């Protein structure tokens, strides 16, 4: 394999990612192919992005049609795809309004601003505190990073946005001690992704809902990773029956193109006015047409039942491996974490050699998030390959 692209990346691209040593050139369905034509079974979905797999023909057609017709209008004008996608998101969720942006971290930044303005408008100044949780990941811009409980990510960039405090994840009593009259919002992932694939308990989310209501604080669910059908329900919050005041989306929403969205109740939306927030590219016609395709397909009850069935099959197969190094298998739907008693980096590298893409969530947790179109034959191929990797590593 030629090293041209890795060498060029090393020479010219800012070194903020440790990249695997091959160059991906093409994708189709559940597989990616490198420059030499080697196939990789994709159990990462581009970190929960490619819900419909790679090079989906319906997305390609929607994008091609729209880009040939109209690729960009700024947000000073109406465009039908923008309005259509907002309507579709509201029809399928708790929300009454949608704000579009271009990434997950931007969706979180928007939610922070909306919570601050809501608190100031309804309750007056000073109610600016935001509670988040250990193991959280909300993004890497200065506000979202302040809510991301990772010393390594925060330390070089302080001071960050003031007002953030952290309680242990899924510990309601600890959260109740932090939520008070000065709290404007509580940010939580219904299933933590980067933190190691940890579903929040329904009691925890219900308790946060009650504590927020007690103090007039807004409950914000970050579903950037766990939303869009990933857990076998369209939204992660549906497993608990608890609804938020705002929800952030990104990753899978655009079918591989960049988009973020902050969904709000009408009550929160009512405090916002023109000029409060905005973005040049946000909610452009091309990406909105792609997102409409993804949203329609992942909210199909048959697709969601398929996600639950494939998730159950995968977990059953993993348990059947009976590997002594596996500490715990957890998750919901096709958002699965396999915690080992050792670092998983060697397993991931061995996967690359055998044509299998996996990623981690923390040093000891293997994160399995295949495209939602994964079928029983792919699960079988994964389990065979993974068993071989485990056997080779123990030998
Ligand atoms: C990925 C992620 C983000 C950040 O999204 P970007 O698009 O990378 O900015 C925020 N929250 C959660 C839960 C995520 O998984």
């Amino acid at each position: 394999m030629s090293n041209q692209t890795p060498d060029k990346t090393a020479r010219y691209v800012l070194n903020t990612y440790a990249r695997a040593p091959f160059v991906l050139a093409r994708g189709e369905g559940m597989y990616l192919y490198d420059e030499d034509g080697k196939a990789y079974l994709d159990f990462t979905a581009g970190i929960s992005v490619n819900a419909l797999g790679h090079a989906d023909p319906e997305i390609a057609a929607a994008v091609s049609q729209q880009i040939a017709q109209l690729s960009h209008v700024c947000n000073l004008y109406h465009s039908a795809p923008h309005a259509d996608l907002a309507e579709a998101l509201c029809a399928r969720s708790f929300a009454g309004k949608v704000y579009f942006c271009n990434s997950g971290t931007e969706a979180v930044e928007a939610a922070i601003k909306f919570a601050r303005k809501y608190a100031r408008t309804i309750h007056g100044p000073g109610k600016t505190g935001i509670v988040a949780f250990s193991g959280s990941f909300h993004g890497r811009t200065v506000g979202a990073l302040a809510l991301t409980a990772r010393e390594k990510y925060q330390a070089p960039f302080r001071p960050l946005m003031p007002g953030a405090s952290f309680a242990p994840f899924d510990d309601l009593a600890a959260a109740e001690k932090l939520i008070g009259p000065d709290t404007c919002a509580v940010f939580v992932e219904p299933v933590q992704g980067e933190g190691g694939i940890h579903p929040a308990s329904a009691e925890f989310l219900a308790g946060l809902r009650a504590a927020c209501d007690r103090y007039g604080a807004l409950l914000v669910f970050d579903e950037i990773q766990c939303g869009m059908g990933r857990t076998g329900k369209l939204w992660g919050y549906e497993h608990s029956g608890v609804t938020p005041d705002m929800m952030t989306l990104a990753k899978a929403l655009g079918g591989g193109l960049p988009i973020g969205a902050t969904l709000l109740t009408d009550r929160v939306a009512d405090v916002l006015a023109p000029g409060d927030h905005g973005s040049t590219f946000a909610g452009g016609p091309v990406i909105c047409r792609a997102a409409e395709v993804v949203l329609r397909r992942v909210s199909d009850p048959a697709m969601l039942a398929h996600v639950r069935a494939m998730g159950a099959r995968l977990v059953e197969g993993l348990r059947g491996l009976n590997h002594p190094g596996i500490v715990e298998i957890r998750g919901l739907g096709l958002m699965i974490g396999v915690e080992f008693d050792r670092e998983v980096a060697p397993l991931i590298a061995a996967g690359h050699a055998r044509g299998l893409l996996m990623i981690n969530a923390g040093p000891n947790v293997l994160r399995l998030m295949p495209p939602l179109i994964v079928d029983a034959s792919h699960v079988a191929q994964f389990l065979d390959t993974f068993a071989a990797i485990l056997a080779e590593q123990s030998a």
Side-chain angles (χ1 to χ4, degrees):
M1 185 171 61
S2 144
N3 272 327
Q4 212 180 336
T5 297
D7 290 348
K8 213 188 276 186
T9 304
R11 171 69 182 83
Y12 293 110
V13 178
L14 184 66
N15 183 25
T16 59
Y17 281 97
R19 293 172 206 270
F22 43 87
V23 181
L24 294 173
R26 174 174 90 75
E28 195 181 331
M30 282 294 300
Y31 294 91
L32 287 158
Y33 299 85
D34 69 17
E35 286 184 328
D36 300 326
K38 177 177 168 184
Y40 298 83
L41 178 65
D42 182 9
F43 264 52
T44 73
I47 319 186
S48 201
V49 169
N50 305 91
L52 302 181
H54 299 280
D56 178 77
E58 200 188 351
I59 293 179
V63 166
S64 312
Q65 198 277 330
Q66 185 60 48
I67 204 164
Q69 182 182 325
L70 182 65
S71 66
H72 172 76
V73 290
C74 72
N75 280 302
L76 300 174
Y77 307 101
H78 288 287
S79 87
H82 189 100
D84 289 346
L85 179 60
E87 177 187 41
L89 283 165
C90 290
R92 291 173 167 88
S93 73
F94 73 95
K97 296 275 187 294
V98 181
Y99 169 80
F100 290 117
C101 51
N102 311 287
S103 68
T105 201
E106 280 180 64
V108 171
E109 292 291 331
I112 293 169
K113 283 181 69 176
F114 300 162
R116 289 269 171 90
K117 176 133 195 233
Y118 179 83
R120 182 176 299 264
T121 308
I122 305 293
H123 302 281
K127 190 177 172 65
T128 56
I130 299 182
V131 175
F133 298 95
S134 61
S136 62
F137 185 87
H138 297 294
R140 296 175 184 272
T141 51
V142 175
L145 182 57
L147 305 181
T148 292
R150 207 79 66 86
E151 183 59 20
K152 189 179 110 185
Y153 293 167
Q154 287 196 355
F157 307 107
R158 289 192 180 117
L160 301 172
M161 175 187 74
S165 57
F166 295 95
F169 183 69
D170 221 27
D171 180 341
L172 182 59
E176 282 173 334
K177 288 199 188 100
L178 287 184
I179 301 168
D182 296 339
T183 308
C184 74
V186 174
F187 278 68
V188 64
E189 295 156 81
V191 184
Q192 281 192 340
E194 303 300 310
I197 312 295
H198 294 282
S201 67
E203 301 72 46
F204 178 63
L205 296 177
L208 294 181
R209 177 72 277 172
C212 284
D213 291 344
R214 197 147 56 239
Y215 292 106
L218 299 179
L219 182 59
V220 185
F221 286 166
D222 182 343
E223 298 226 8
I224 290 167
Q225 192 158 154
C226 70
M228 296 296 290
R230 174 57 53 190
T231 66
K233 292 188 185 282
L234 183 57
W235 311 121
Y237 71 74
E238 292 178 73
H239 293 275
S240 66
V242 178
T243 51
D245 302 292
M246 288 195 270
M247 175 167 76
T248 54
L249 298 178
K251 293 203 163 101
L253 179 58
L257 297 181
I259 186 171
T262 307
L263 279 61
L264 316 75
T265 61
D266 280 314
R267 185 169 60 95
V268 179
D270 282 346
V271 307
L272 290 143
D276 278 339
H277 202 41
S279 160
T280 301
F281 285 121
V286 175
I287 185 110
C288 286
R289 284 296 181 229
E292 263 188 273
V293 171
V294 180
L295 182 62
R296 176 169 43 75
R297 299 242 311 262
V298 304
S299 42
D300 180 345
M303 172 67 102
L304 295 168
H306 174 78
V307 170
R308 294 192 293 272
M310 289 304 115
R313 184 181 276 263
L314 188 51
V315 167
E316 192 188 332
L318 287 163
R319 293 201 198 291
L321 297 174
N322 276 322
H323 192 270
I326 296 178
V327 176
E328 190 181 27
I329 300 167
R330 56 181 177 251
L332 284 171
L334 286 170
M335 186 168 182
I336 297 168
V338 186
E339 183 167 340
F340 280 80
D341 62 3
R342 63 199 76 167
E343 298 205 350
V344 297
L347 303 177
I348 293 171
H352 294 162
R354 289 174 182 270
L356 171 63
L357 299 186
M358 303 179 286
I359 52 174
N360 65 313
N364 292 3
V365 178
L366 204 60
R367 173 167 33 167
L368 304 177
M369 294 192 303
L372 307 186
I373 59 167
V374 65
D375 71 22
S377 73
H378 304 122
V379 172
Q381 183 190 343
F382 167 82
L383 290 168
D384 283 351
T385 309
F386 194 54
I389 291 168
L390 290 176
E392 161 195 290
Q393 301 276 319
S394 321

